[in-house]
Amino acid sequence: MPDIQIDRAHTLGLPEARRIAGLWAQKAEAKFDMQCRYVPADTMQPDGTPAPDVLHFQRPGIEGTMRVTADRFALQAELGFLFSAFKDRITAEIEDQFDKLLAPRAA
């Protein structure tokens, strides 16, 4: 079971969700020295819905994925021993990033 599991629904649609995931990856790379790789899906699941895109991220002590769909972000991360002591803080930081990235924009 992942150490961190965050599931966020949204109404952005896939193109905007991909853009937001890209912004999240840029912040993770710059702020936390993560290595990120985005893999867009081009297949369908057995139920006929599009397969999710997957953003892979890692750095020593943290490894995970974010699944991106037209209506959901699902992040899972495994923490190494040293980072596990900071699980609550790391989770709060990721939640805060999602809050900022998903906040409605002023017109």
Side-chain angles (χ1 to χ4, degrees):
M1 172 176 246
D3 295 310
I4 296 176
Q5 204 163 342
I6 299 171
D7 192 30
R8 285 288 185 99
H10 64 79
T11 58
L12 301 171
L14 189 55
E16 183 66 3
R18 284 176 169 160
R19 188 184 76 76
I20 295 293
L23 291 173
W24 187 92
Q26 288 174 355
K27 288 180 184 273
E29 288 173 335
K31 190 170 183 178
F32 302 109
D33 200 28
M34 291 277 185
Q35 294 178 339
C36 298
R37 181 174 52 93
Y38 194 90
V39 181
D42 60 358
T43 60
M44 300 298 273
Q45 299 184 93
D47 66 1
T49 60
D53 292 358
V54 181
L55 171 66
H56 300 270
F57 56 91
Q58 69 177 25
R59 65 160 287 162
I62 301 175
E63 184 174 320
T65 59
M66 181 191 321
R67 297 192 182 286
V68 180
T69 67
D71 62 358
R72 185 162 303 285
F73 294 105
L75 182 140
Q76 296 185 342
E78 299 284 340
L79 304 177
F81 177 74
L82 294 175
F83 283 99
S84 63
F86 301 100
K87 175 185 174 182
D88 292 340
R89 185 172 169 192
I90 293 168
T91 301
E93 176 70 27
I94 294 169
E95 294 272 1
D96 185 56
Q97 288 177 3
F98 274 125
D99 290 344
K100 289 176 182 171
L101 290 169
L102 295 174
R105 293 191 179 96

